[in-house]
Amino acid sequence: MTLRSRAASLLREPLVHFMIAGVLVFALLAGRAPDAGERRIVVNAEVVSRLLNRFTESFHRQPTPQEMDGLISDYVHEQVYYREALRLGLDKDDEIVVRRMRNKMIAIATNDAEAATPTDADLQKLLDKDPGRYAREPKVTFAQLYLGADSPATRAAARDALAVLRQGGDAARFAQAVPLNPRYEAADADSIGATFGDAFALALRKLPRGEWTGPVTSGLGLHLVRVDAVIAARPPTVAEARQQLANDWHEANVRKAEEEAYRKIVDGYDVVIEQPK
Amino acid sequence: MRRTAIIAALLLGSAFSLSGCDKIKQAVSGKSEIKVVETEFPERVFWGDTHLHTANSVDAFGFGNRLGPEEALRFARGEEVTSSTGQKAKLARPLDFLVIADHAEGLGATKALYDAPRLLITDPTLRRWYDLMHQGPKGSLQATGEMLQARSQNKLPGGLNDPAKAEERTRKIWNDHLDTVDRYNEPGKFTAFFGFEYTLMQGGNNLHRNVIFRDNKDRVAKIMPLDPTNELWPDKLWDYMDGYEKSTGGKVLAIPHNANLSNGLMFMMTDPSGGPMTAAQARRRAAHEPVVEITQIKGDSEAHPFLSPNDEFAGYGTAGWDLNNLLNSQPTKPGDLAGSYVREALKRGLILEQTIGVNPYKFGVIGSTDSHSSLSTADDNNFWGKHPGVEPGPTRATDGFVPGINSGRMNWQSLASGYAAVWARANTRTSIFDAIQRREVYGTTGPRMTVRFFGGWDFKGDDLKGDWVHAGYRRGVPMGSDLGGHKGTGAPSFIVSALKDPVGANLDRVQIVKGWVDKGGKSHEKVFDVVWSDMGKRKPVGGKVPAVGDTVDLTRATYANSIGAPALASVWTDPEFDPAMRAFYYVRVLEIPTPNWVSYDAVKYHLTLTPDIPRKQQERAYTSAIWYTPA
């Protein structure tokens, strides 16, 4: 069934006729003959399809005929109350209405920005503006041998172990059994920092490549380290940082739209703030 | 009837939206093009919080929380945000994953009430809460306290939490929530899960569950969070989970929390009607709830001194939380405690298995915060409190748990706890979820200690000299697993290795907690000190290792790592093993004493505190157990 024929068939529903008749009766009782203007509530195909869409958006399915009747009935109730409330001036100086209107204006002002999709060029511009924020972290490939808490004895063990390692020997007997990996492959600075502490992650990048060195101090104690490769921090491509860029772009875009809209409107107003005497 | 219908319509309508808004988030949910590779076995531990509330939670908004899921996600990822009380907040270290678990019940309802036109709120109670909330933070706390009270007595006005009437509002919030969470989920870097809290409560007794989905939005958007009921067992939740898995092909699990506030109902020996638990019932529970939250801001549920009189470390974070149930509506009787604490539940599980053949309580453990401020903090020196009413400030240490409300608890009883540690093969929804499902997880009270725990039949001390992690996986099983059938003639042996938090305190000791059940069906427990710092000097006296010492300086809220050890490891063989008795083993790691958050506050705000307020603690990690079942 197409939307249009569905709406048409709804309009033929007896309940709908009954409700519309009810509206007329209500309007008569309210004291004034209905005219063709604001006191005429028409549930036409357009209204029905709007109600239908709202329902399907919320519930991801078509309403049953009973539910559709309910939606129409509710719509009529809403219009009756709403229009009568406006006629009685209930919207004036109502702080909730004022706040709603403000929110509605903001929503209208930012609607385009909310729905806007950034182009790659937009994201590239954002990326170029603050490359540090989006920089891919440096990655380090390294081997480490944990010796224990810093003490004269540990430092002595570090010297001995270093000598063994530099001669290509096996220094496993010096290692402490800890839940650390002997080798980390292209580990990013964040994850190294989380395991060893940030100072250690930083220190690694300054060590010579390809040779055992140390002891290097971490938040855990002393280590011997062999850094095999450092992939330097670099600005990412848009594709790599798309999510973060899009989140930031979106946030900034909405904020900008809101500020601009306000500035444009407030320019047309004469704001006088009277200081209390 | 008519009145509540009008209220519901109001609440519903106030989920204000313009057409077009719904398209928004899809437009920017472009994913970074990264492929995540799973490692062969878990190589690193991922840290997260499975239990965070935002302004969408009915009580969090009432408590004054104005930060939504987006701010919560940005904060967890390490960005600075402005808290609800206007203070700059930032984590010293980002988290690896986050589950925003807003209460399904009345999702967004307090915000809707707050935004509703007062003129049309005819229910006197709702109108009172509306007015209180608009008075400011104090009034808002008052309103929320009254709401919780009403909830415990099943006296909430219908308009506030009627699921049918609020469905459209809930839909809108849920769909927006899914979009936001997706925009911050970055496989390989940060995992943002979909989830919610099922706030099952029976007369104020805490039977809450956090529900976590393994799946992406295509599946999760097909369902809505489930409103809770008032039974003793979450059968309706399990039906819902089964229904979700069946209809979408997805996966979902539930995590019970705050057993300590359940007055014995969380881990019952019987079925809900008081009759014997059946094997089918036990199987159903175990299948849906693979882990339990063992520690969080509202106290610690590992063990209680009453239940474990020989464990001198059993009283951590229990004081004050063990007097009443969650909503302070029923006092806790000594007989209630056994059904409220995790260690006892693990023992009960063994007894039940011996009787009915299935262990309903074969669960792993994690820690999480249950923060209601959108700020997931568990570090004592950067603790943002349970909710905005107790964000950092000079009075929060001595305020009530909900300032101005007689909640039966003081805020200093809040723990800056905890986090979930997950041994996953990658930082993705599927990998982390699967690790939780197989219980390869542990919980800490905040510090990020790394703990490995393997059980097997042939581990020897020498294994620690080689590649013991590979050995652990190849010749044994990791935390959360079954030892498997008895092999050889010996006892099971365990590799345990613990490493301090790289920016935290040294370790005091590593313990293995064993529980078992004898042939008569009686359960037992014993805590073994396995390895500790300065073992040469700290000789056990009467079977107990002497205290590690204390370097805490309360005048400056500092401690020194001049005592304790950065790492402790050992291979431990059960000296009292009886192959005929079912048993479990889990690890507890203790830090040296450190100042608690109250002490950091005392220094920062120059407070003078009475001596009844604890100022130091020994923070800890609890691993999931390894179980032994006789053939």
Side-chain angles (χ1 to χ4, degrees):
Chain A
M1 193 184 269
T2 66
L3 264 187
R4 184 181 295 270
S5 66
R6 168 122 185 95
S9 77
L10 274 168
L11 285 173
R12 286 194 298 272
E13 293 279 335
L15 176 63
V16 176
H17 296 160
F18 174 76
M19 280 180 338
I20 292 171
V23 171
L24 297 178
V25 171
F26 189 91
L28 284 168
L29 290 176
R32 204 178 70 175
D35 56 37
E38 89 274 15
R39 311 205 87 203
R40 185 176 155 84
I41 295 171
V42 181
V43 183
N44 58 18
E46 190 192 324
V47 172
V48 170
S49 88
R50 200 164 66 228
L51 295 173
L52 189 67
N53 286 342
R54 213 177 75 183
F55 184 94
T56 46
E57 258 177 44
S58 294
F59 297 99
H60 298 287
R61 65 169 173 82
Q62 297 281 314
T64 63
Q66 286 79 8
E67 282 169 337
M68 199 62 226
D69 288 345
L71 291 176
I72 291 170
S73 165
D74 195 51
Y75 171 78
V76 173
H77 276 79
E78 199 169 82
Q79 286 298 314
V80 167
Y81 279 123
Y82 173 63
R83 294 183 194 194
E84 202 59 17
L86 285 183
R87 204 177 63 80
L88 295 170
L90 296 186
D91 55 325
K92 306 277 186 299
D93 297 327
D94 181 319
E95 65 180 79
I96 299 298
V97 173
V98 170
R99 198 188 310 150
R100 281 266 162 89
M101 293 292 119
R102 169 187 171 161
N103 286 344
K104 221 162 171 166
M105 288 296 284
I106 291 172
I108 291 166
T110 57
N111 197 30
D112 287 348
E114 286 275 11
T117 314
T119 63
D120 277 17
D122 291 329
L123 297 184
Q124 186 69 54
K125 218 164 95 188
L126 189 59
L127 178 58
D128 295 342
K129 217 165 79 183
D130 190 0
R133 179 172 166 79
Y134 305 99
R136 299 293 93 176
E137 295 170 85
K139 290 182 194 295
V140 185
T141 295
F142 67 100
Q144 65 84 34
L145 183 80
Y146 177 67
L147 297 151
D150 193 348
S151 72
T154 315
R155 287 193 174 265
R159 273 191 300 275
D160 295 345
L162 192 59
V164 173
L165 284 168
R166 283 192 165 158
Q167 282 156 28
D170 181 4
R173 67 193 156 95
F174 294 98
Q176 303 287 305
V178 283
L180 294 172
N181 302 342
R183 189 178 161 79
Y184 290 82
E185 202 71 47
D188 62 47
D190 263 4
S191 74
I192 298 172
T195 310
F196 297 89
D198 288 338
F200 182 83
L202 207 63
L204 282 190
R205 280 179 251 165
K206 294 176 186 142
L207 295 178
R209 312 290 147 84
E211 64 178 87
W212 282 98
T213 178
V216 182
T217 304
S218 79
L220 311 165
L222 299 182
H223 310 251
L224 296 182
V225 177
R226 190 190 68 219
V227 174
D228 292 326
V230 177
I231 304 163
R234 59 171 176 87
T237 62
V238 165
E240 285 169 328
R242 182 174 301 281
Q243 186 180 46
Q244 196 189 358
L245 285 165
N247 281 339
D248 288 354
W249 184 89
H250 178 250
E251 201 197 9
N253 210 33
V254 171
R255 205 174 45 234
K256 202 172 110 206
E258 189 181 328
E259 278 163 13
E260 275 173 4
Y262 178 72
R263 220 171 27 242
K264 229 180 271 172
I265 301 170
V266 79
D267 279 353
Y269 280 77
D270 193 13
V271 180
V272 183
I273 297 164
E274 293 182 350
Q275 298 296 330
K277 300 249 155 56
Chain B
M1 191 61 224
R2 187 177 168 76
R3 195 181 59 192
T4 52
I6 288 176
I7 295 296
L10 289 174
L11 296 182
L12 210 152
S14 56
F16 166 72
S17 77
L18 279 183
S19 63
C21 279
D22 296 324
K23 280 177 237 137
I24 314 168
K25 275 124 191 183
Q26 269 122 21
V28 290
S29 66
K31 288 271 169 266
S32 302
E33 292 143 30
I34 293 169
K35 213 171 160 193
V36 182
V37 182
E38 285 199 329
T39 51
E40 182 196 343
F41 58 84
E43 285 184 359
R44 64 170 279 217
V45 70
F46 295 100
W47 292 96
D49 186 357
T50 64
H51 191 177
L52 180 69
H53 293 272
T54 74
N56 282 336
S57 281
V58 65
D59 51 348
F61 187 91
F63 286 137
N65 187 354
R66 297 295 178 267
L67 305 188
E70 180 146 10
E71 286 95 336
L73 288 156
R74 290 181 88 96
F75 181 79
R77 293 197 58 164
E79 301 207 17
E80 184 178 272
V81 305
T82 303
S83 82
S84 297
T85 55
Q87 308 182 61
K88 297 284 181 207
K90 190 175 191 298
L91 275 178
R93 289 175 285 175
L95 294 178
D96 297 311
F97 68 92
L98 180 69
V99 184
I100 294 175
D102 280 317
H103 296 288
E105 178 180 37
L107 191 67
T110 29
K111 182 175 189 305
L113 174 64
Y114 182 88
D115 289 340
R118 186 180 188 278
L119 182 73
L120 293 180
I121 303 171
T122 51
D123 181 288
T125 309
L126 286 181
R127 192 176 258 225
R128 172 180 163 73
W129 292 341
Y130 174 93
D131 289 343
L132 279 169
M133 286 201 289
H134 282 271
Q135 273 170 23
K138 275 213 172 103
S140 199
L141 289 175
Q142 176 72 34
T144 308
E146 291 180 18
M147 277 179 215
L148 292 173
Q149 193 100 40
R151 170 65 169 87
S152 75
Q153 297 156 356
N154 283 326
K155 283 184 190 159
L156 274 185
L160 201 65
N161 71 336
D162 186 311
K165 288 168 189 156
E167 189 175 346
E168 189 177 336
R169 182 192 70 220
T170 306
R171 265 279 170 212
K172 168 96 180 85
I173 293 174
W174 181 242
N175 287 338
D176 283 353
H177 175 73
L178 299 184
D179 288 335
T180 307
V181 168
D182 237 15
R183 285 200 288 133
Y184 284 88
N185 181 53
E186 191 181 345
K189 186 75 188 161
F190 180 84
T191 295
F193 280 103
F194 299 125
F196 65 87
E197 176 169 339
Y198 182 76
T199 313
L200 183 69
M201 199 136 49
Q202 219 246 8
N205 296 316
N206 187 311
L207 295 166
H208 303 180
R209 266 80 174 171
N210 290 320
V211 179
I212 302 173
F213 296 92
R214 182 181 191 261
D215 310 301
N216 296 330
K217 204 172 73 188
D218 55 341
R219 286 187 168 125
V220 181
K222 289 183 182 152
I223 46 97
M224 295 252 286
L226 179 71
D227 258 53
T229 45
N230 296 301
E231 302 95 358
L232 278 173
W233 281 28
D235 272 303
K236 287 186 179 134
L237 173 67
W238 299 336
D239 290 344
Y240 164 94
M241 292 164 71
D242 293 342
Y244 168 79
E245 294 192 344
K246 204 167 160 217
S247 68
T248 66
K251 280 190 181 161
V252 57
L253 59 82
I255 304 179
H257 73 81
N258 283 113
N260 61 335
L261 299 170
S262 73
N263 269 3
L265 300 182
M266 188 65 92
F267 308 119
M268 293 163 62
M269 286 296 282
T270 62
D271 84 350
S273 68
M277 195 187 296
T278 66
Q281 285 169 325
R283 199 171 291 118
R284 188 151 205 246
R285 169 132 181 182
H288 291 87
E289 304 187 342
V291 300
V292 161
E293 184 187 289
I294 194 170
T295 184
Q296 64 134 278
I297 295 173
K298 291 200 307 286
D300 193 282
S301 301
E302 185 225 357
H304 191 279
F306 177 83
L307 302 167
S308 306
N310 296 324
D311 177 2
E312 68 270 39
F313 299 102
Y316 181 77
T318 56
W321 303 102
D322 55 356
L323 303 176
N324 294 293
N325 65 1
L326 174 66
L327 293 181
N328 212 26
S329 57
Q330 271 180 40
T332 302
K333 300 180 292 297
D336 296 337
L337 293 168
S340 296
Y341 288 84
V342 162
R343 186 186 299 171
E344 203 64 26
L346 293 172
K347 285 155 66 181
R348 286 184 159 197
L350 299 182
I351 297 175
L352 283 163
E353 188 180 53
Q354 187 150 310
T355 322
I356 60 175
V358 182
N359 181 349
Y361 303 130
K362 199 175 198 172
F363 51 70
V365 295
I366 50 102
S368 279
T369 67
D370 195 10
S371 159
H372 280 55
S373 63
S374 300
L375 308 174
S376 183
T377 61
D379 294 325
D380 283 83
N381 60 5
N382 185 26
F383 179 53
W384 285 75
K386 159 81 178 181
H387 57 80
V390 287
E391 283 187 4
T395 59
R396 69 166 177 167
T398 46
D399 271 337
F401 180 61
V402 181
I405 307 290
N406 180 17
S407 65
R409 285 157 191 127
M410 300 309 294
N411 190 45
W412 55 258
Q413 291 167 334
S414 295
L415 293 181
S417 179
Y419 283 135
V422 177
W423 284 109
R425 294 167 57 207
N427 188 350
T428 62
R429 283 179 182 153
T430 51
S431 292
I432 291 177
F433 183 98
D434 292 348
I436 298 173
Q437 184 73 57
R438 69 174 182 265
R439 303 177 291 231
E440 201 174 346
V441 294
Y442 60 99
T444 80
T445 55
R448 303 190 194 181
M449 311 137 181
T450 308
V451 187
R452 289 274 202 190
F453 183 41
F454 296 100
W457 295 103
D458 66 351
F459 293 133
K460 298 277 180 303
D462 272 0
D463 281 318
L464 284 179
K465 294 193 179 128
D467 187 352
W468 56 274
V469 173
H470 273 92
Y473 280 108
R474 293 213 177 106
R475 285 161 39 212
V477 294
M479 61 179 73
S481 309
D482 286 295
L483 262 175
H486 187 209
K487 286 181 202 135
T489 51
S493 48
F494 299 86
I495 297 177
V496 53
S497 173
L499 189 62
K500 76 185 272 282
D501 181 328
V503 301
N506 271 350
L507 307 179
D508 164 10
R509 67 185 74 194
V510 171
Q511 303 175 307
I512 288 184
V513 180
K514 179 187 177 186
W516 71 98
V517 56
D518 62 28
K519 279 170 196 137
K522 197 170 153 11
S523 68
H524 307 268
E525 67 174 60
K526 188 163 177 179
V527 181
F528 295 89
D529 289 312
V530 169
V531 53
W532 55 95
S533 64
D534 296 310
M535 287 179 90
K537 287 181 208 145
R538 296 168 68 199
K539 300 285 184 201
V541 180
K544 302 265 184 206
V545 172
V548 66
D550 181 357
T551 60
V552 174
D553 176 356
L554 286 177
T555 62
R556 294 183 303 145
T558 57
Y559 63 93
N561 278 334
S562 52
I563 57 170
L568 294 170
S570 186
V571 176
W572 179 80
T573 303
D574 180 0
E576 300 170 7
F577 180 66
D578 181 339
M581 295 181 192
R582 49 192 89 232
F584 65 79
Y585 304 83
Y586 72 85
V587 171
R588 183 170 67 185
V589 180
L590 297 176
E591 278 189 348
I592 61 169
T594 51
N596 63 9
W597 69 267
V598 175
S599 287
Y600 287 104
D601 267 26
V603 171
K604 187 171 168 193
Y605 302 111
H606 311 289
L607 308 179
T608 308
L609 299 170
T610 50
D612 57 316
I613 300 180
R615 307 282 299 274
K616 303 171 191 178
Q617 60 186 344
Q618 281 188 270
E619 297 218 65
R620 51 202 67 201
Y622 311 113
T623 72
S624 295
I626 292 175
W627 287 265
Y628 166 72
T629 313

PDB file of all heavy atoms in Angstrom, chain B residues 33 48 103-104 114 127 193 202 208 256 316 321 393 433 486 576:
ATOM      1  N   GLU B  33      40.085   4.886   8.549  1.00  0.00           N
ATOM      2  CA  GLU B  33      40.308   3.624   7.838  1.00  0.00           C
ATOM      3  C   GLU B  33      41.470   2.863   8.448  1.00  0.00           C
ATOM      4  O   GLU B  33      42.599   2.953   8.008  1.00  0.00           O
ATOM      5  CB  GLU B  33      40.541   3.927   6.351  1.00  0.00           C
ATOM      6  CG  GLU B  33      39.286   4.463   5.683  1.00  0.00           C
ATOM      7  CD  GLU B  33      39.580   5.534   4.652  1.00  0.00           C
ATOM      8  OE1 GLU B  33      40.668   5.489   4.052  1.00  0.00           O
ATOM      9  OE2 GLU B  33      38.731   6.402   4.471  1.00  0.00           O
ATOM     10  N   GLY B  48      39.296   0.076  31.515  1.00  0.00           N
ATOM     11  CA  GLY B  48      38.046   0.757  31.193  1.00  0.00           C
ATOM     12  C   GLY B  48      37.071   0.785  32.353  1.00  0.00           C
ATOM     13  O   GLY B  48      37.351   0.320  33.461  1.00  0.00           O
ATOM     14  N   HIS B 103      20.625   4.432  33.147  1.00  0.00           N
ATOM     15  CA  HIS B 103      19.460   3.667  33.583  1.00  0.00           C
ATOM     16  C   HIS B 103      18.423   3.610  32.462  1.00  0.00           C
ATOM     17  O   HIS B 103      18.008   4.654  31.950  1.00  0.00           O
ATOM     18  CB  HIS B 103      18.798   4.331  34.790  1.00  0.00           C
ATOM     19  CG  HIS B 103      19.660   4.368  36.013  1.00  0.00           C
ATOM     20  ND1 HIS B 103      19.947   3.251  36.755  1.00  0.00           N
ATOM     21  CD2 HIS B 103      20.307   5.390  36.629  1.00  0.00           C
ATOM     22  CE1 HIS B 103      20.721   3.581  37.777  1.00  0.00           C
ATOM     23  NE2 HIS B 103      20.953   4.876  37.729  1.00  0.00           N
ATOM     24  N   ALA B 104      17.996   2.399  32.099  1.00  0.00           N
ATOM     25  CA  ALA B 104      16.936   2.274  31.099  1.00  0.00           C
ATOM     26  C   ALA B 104      15.649   2.880  31.653  1.00  0.00           C
ATOM     27  O   ALA B 104      14.880   3.514  30.943  1.00  0.00           O
ATOM     28  CB  ALA B 104      16.704   0.807  30.744  1.00  0.00           C
ATOM     29  N   TYR B 114      12.078  18.401  33.824  1.00  0.00           N
ATOM     30  CA  TYR B 114      12.692  19.717  34.033  1.00  0.00           C
ATOM     31  C   TYR B 114      12.298  20.691  32.923  1.00  0.00           C
ATOM     32  O   TYR B 114      12.041  21.857  33.160  1.00  0.00           O
ATOM     33  CB  TYR B 114      14.211  19.519  34.068  1.00  0.00           C
ATOM     34  CG  TYR B 114      15.020  20.763  34.331  1.00  0.00           C
ATOM     35  CD1 TYR B 114      15.302  21.162  35.639  1.00  0.00           C
ATOM     36  CD2 TYR B 114      15.536  21.525  33.287  1.00  0.00           C
ATOM     37  CE1 TYR B 114      16.064  22.278  35.887  1.00  0.00           C
ATOM     38  CE2 TYR B 114      16.305  22.646  33.521  1.00  0.00           C
ATOM     39  CZ  TYR B 114      16.568  23.025  34.826  1.00  0.00           C
ATOM     40  OH  TYR B 114      17.326  24.131  35.071  1.00  0.00           O
ATOM     41  N   ARG B 127       5.054  18.055  40.299  1.00  0.00           N
ATOM     42  CA  ARG B 127       5.146  19.512  40.340  1.00  0.00           C
ATOM     43  C   ARG B 127       6.125  19.953  41.438  1.00  0.00           C
ATOM     44  O   ARG B 127       6.927  20.858  41.243  1.00  0.00           O
ATOM     45  CB  ARG B 127       3.767  20.111  40.601  1.00  0.00           C
ATOM     46  CG  ARG B 127       3.718  21.600  40.369  1.00  0.00           C
ATOM     47  CD  ARG B 127       2.313  22.117  40.544  1.00  0.00           C
ATOM     48  NE  ARG B 127       1.700  22.344  39.252  1.00  0.00           N
ATOM     49  CZ  ARG B 127       0.997  23.454  38.972  1.00  0.00           C
ATOM     50  NH1 ARG B 127       0.836  24.388  39.870  1.00  0.00           N
ATOM     51  NH2 ARG B 127       0.463  23.618  37.794  1.00  0.00           N
ATOM     52  N   PHE B 193      31.414   1.108  23.916  1.00  0.00           N
ATOM     53  CA  PHE B 193      30.398   0.056  23.826  1.00  0.00           C
ATOM     54  C   PHE B 193      28.996   0.643  23.904  1.00  0.00           C
ATOM     55  O   PHE B 193      28.778   1.699  24.493  1.00  0.00           O
ATOM     56  CB  PHE B 193      30.533  -0.910  25.009  1.00  0.00           C
ATOM     57  CG  PHE B 193      31.608  -1.942  24.862  1.00  0.00           C
ATOM     58  CD1 PHE B 193      32.815  -1.804  25.546  1.00  0.00           C
ATOM     59  CD2 PHE B 193      31.420  -3.063  24.074  1.00  0.00           C
ATOM     60  CE1 PHE B 193      33.800  -2.761  25.430  1.00  0.00           C
ATOM     61  CE2 PHE B 193      32.405  -4.027  23.962  1.00  0.00           C
ATOM     62  CZ  PHE B 193      33.604  -3.875  24.639  1.00  0.00           C
ATOM     63  N   GLN B 202      14.314  -4.663  44.415  1.00  0.00           N
ATOM     64  CA  GLN B 202      13.217  -5.281  45.128  1.00  0.00           C
ATOM     65  C   GLN B 202      13.163  -4.647  46.484  1.00  0.00           C
ATOM     66  O   GLN B 202      14.015  -4.910  47.326  1.00  0.00           O
ATOM     67  CB  GLN B 202      13.468  -6.789  45.205  1.00  0.00           C
ATOM     68  CG  GLN B 202      12.240  -7.616  45.029  1.00  0.00           C
ATOM     69  CD  GLN B 202      11.904  -8.349  46.298  1.00  0.00           C
ATOM     70  OE1 GLN B 202      12.525  -8.113  47.337  1.00  0.00           O
ATOM     71  NE2 GLN B 202      10.923  -9.214  46.229  1.00  0.00           N
ATOM     72  N   HIS B 208      20.849  -4.650  40.611  1.00  0.00           N
ATOM     73  CA  HIS B 208      21.094  -3.999  39.317  1.00  0.00           C
ATOM     74  C   HIS B 208      22.043  -4.807  38.436  1.00  0.00           C
ATOM     75  O   HIS B 208      22.946  -5.472  38.922  1.00  0.00           O
ATOM     76  CB  HIS B 208      21.702  -2.610  39.536  1.00  0.00           C
ATOM     77  CG  HIS B 208      20.873  -1.716  40.394  1.00  0.00           C
ATOM     78  ND1 HIS B 208      21.244  -0.430  40.703  1.00  0.00           N
ATOM     79  CD2 HIS B 208      19.694  -1.906  41.034  1.00  0.00           C
ATOM     80  CE1 HIS B 208      20.331   0.133  41.478  1.00  0.00           C
ATOM     81  NE2 HIS B 208      19.381  -0.745  41.703  1.00  0.00           N
ATOM     82  N   PRO B 256      26.094  -8.020  37.095  1.00  0.00           N
ATOM     83  CA  PRO B 256      25.488  -7.560  38.352  1.00  0.00           C
ATOM     84  C   PRO B 256      26.452  -6.637  39.109  1.00  0.00           C
ATOM     85  O   PRO B 256      27.661  -6.806  39.009  1.00  0.00           O
ATOM     86  CB  PRO B 256      25.272  -8.855  39.141  1.00  0.00           C
ATOM     87  CG  PRO B 256      25.375  -9.964  38.150  1.00  0.00           C
ATOM     88  CD  PRO B 256      26.311  -9.473  37.089  1.00  0.00           C
ATOM     89  N   TYR B 316      37.821  -4.021  53.456  1.00  0.00           N
ATOM     90  CA  TYR B 316      38.063  -2.845  52.615  1.00  0.00           C
ATOM     91  C   TYR B 316      36.756  -2.314  52.023  1.00  0.00           C
ATOM     92  O   TYR B 316      36.038  -3.037  51.324  1.00  0.00           O
ATOM     93  CB  TYR B 316      39.034  -3.204  51.489  1.00  0.00           C
ATOM     94  CG  TYR B 316      39.362  -2.030  50.591  1.00  0.00           C
ATOM     95  CD1 TYR B 316      40.262  -1.067  51.034  1.00  0.00           C
ATOM     96  CD2 TYR B 316      38.750  -1.863  49.367  1.00  0.00           C
ATOM     97  CE1 TYR B 316      40.569   0.031  50.240  1.00  0.00           C
ATOM     98  CE2 TYR B 316      39.045  -0.773  48.562  1.00  0.00           C
ATOM     99  CZ  TYR B 316      39.957   0.174  49.007  1.00  0.00           C
ATOM    100  OH  TYR B 316      40.242   1.257  48.214  1.00  0.00           O
ATOM    101  N   TRP B 321      28.469   0.730  54.266  1.00  0.00           N
ATOM    102  CA  TRP B 321      27.656   0.166  53.177  1.00  0.00           C
ATOM    103  C   TRP B 321      26.962  -1.110  53.624  1.00  0.00           C
ATOM    104  O   TRP B 321      26.115  -1.629  52.902  1.00  0.00           O
ATOM    105  CB  TRP B 321      28.532  -0.119  51.960  1.00  0.00           C
ATOM    106  CG  TRP B 321      29.256   1.100  51.490  1.00  0.00           C
ATOM    107  CD1 TRP B 321      30.572   1.409  51.703  1.00  0.00           C
ATOM    108  CD2 TRP B 321      28.703   2.207  50.768  1.00  0.00           C
ATOM    109  NE1 TRP B 321      30.863   2.640  51.156  1.00  0.00           N
ATOM    110  CE2 TRP B 321      29.742   3.147  50.576  1.00  0.00           C
ATOM    111  CE3 TRP B 321      27.422   2.492  50.276  1.00  0.00           C
ATOM    112  CZ2 TRP B 321      29.534   4.364  49.909  1.00  0.00           C
ATOM    113  CZ3 TRP B 321      27.224   3.698  49.618  1.00  0.00           C
ATOM    114  CH2 TRP B 321      28.269   4.613  49.436  1.00  0.00           C
ATOM    115  N   GLY B 393      35.271  19.890  46.360  1.00  0.00           N
ATOM    116  CA  GLY B 393      34.896  21.091  47.100  1.00  0.00           C
ATOM    117  C   GLY B 393      35.175  20.872  48.565  1.00  0.00           C
ATOM    118  O   GLY B 393      35.361  19.726  48.994  1.00  0.00           O
ATOM    119  N   PHE B 433      34.832  -7.613  24.448  1.00  0.00           N
ATOM    120  CA  PHE B 433      33.634  -8.347  24.876  1.00  0.00           C
ATOM    121  C   PHE B 433      33.962  -9.830  25.064  1.00  0.00           C
ATOM    122  O   PHE B 433      33.586 -10.442  26.080  1.00  0.00           O
ATOM    123  CB  PHE B 433      32.525  -8.188  23.836  1.00  0.00           C
ATOM    124  CG  PHE B 433      31.226  -8.843  24.206  1.00  0.00           C
ATOM    125  CD1 PHE B 433      30.194  -8.110  24.773  1.00  0.00           C
ATOM    126  CD2 PHE B 433      31.029 -10.208  24.003  1.00  0.00           C
ATOM    127  CE1 PHE B 433      28.988  -8.724  25.120  1.00  0.00           C
ATOM    128  CE2 PHE B 433      29.835 -10.830  24.351  1.00  0.00           C
ATOM    129  CZ  PHE B 433      28.813 -10.085  24.909  1.00  0.00           C
ATOM    130  N   HIS B 486      41.963 -33.455  36.661  1.00  0.00           N
ATOM    131  CA  HIS B 486      43.169 -33.680  37.448  1.00  0.00           C
ATOM    132  C   HIS B 486      44.169 -34.490  36.637  1.00  0.00           C
ATOM    133  O   HIS B 486      43.853 -35.569  36.142  1.00  0.00           O
ATOM    134  CB  HIS B 486      42.773 -34.427  38.716  1.00  0.00           C
ATOM    135  CG  HIS B 486      43.905 -34.572  39.681  1.00  0.00           C
ATOM    136  ND1 HIS B 486      43.996 -35.623  40.552  1.00  0.00           N
ATOM    137  CD2 HIS B 486      44.990 -33.792  39.896  1.00  0.00           C
ATOM    138  CE1 HIS B 486      45.100 -35.484  41.270  1.00  0.00           C
ATOM    139  NE2 HIS B 486      45.707 -34.381  40.896  1.00  0.00           N
ATOM    140  N   GLU B 576      47.422 -27.877  50.192  1.00  0.00           N
ATOM    141  CA  GLU B 576      46.345 -28.609  50.884  1.00  0.00           C
ATOM    142  C   GLU B 576      45.364 -29.210  49.885  1.00  0.00           C
ATOM    143  O   GLU B 576      44.189 -29.397  50.187  1.00  0.00           O
ATOM    144  CB  GLU B 576      45.608 -27.652  51.833  1.00  0.00           C
ATOM    145  CG  GLU B 576      46.519 -27.068  52.892  1.00  0.00           C
ATOM    146  CD  GLU B 576      45.869 -25.932  53.678  1.00  0.00           C
ATOM    147  OE1 GLU B 576      44.660 -25.682  53.482  1.00  0.00           O
ATOM    148  OE2 GLU B 576      46.563 -25.301  54.482  1.00  0.00           O
TER     149      GLU B 576
END
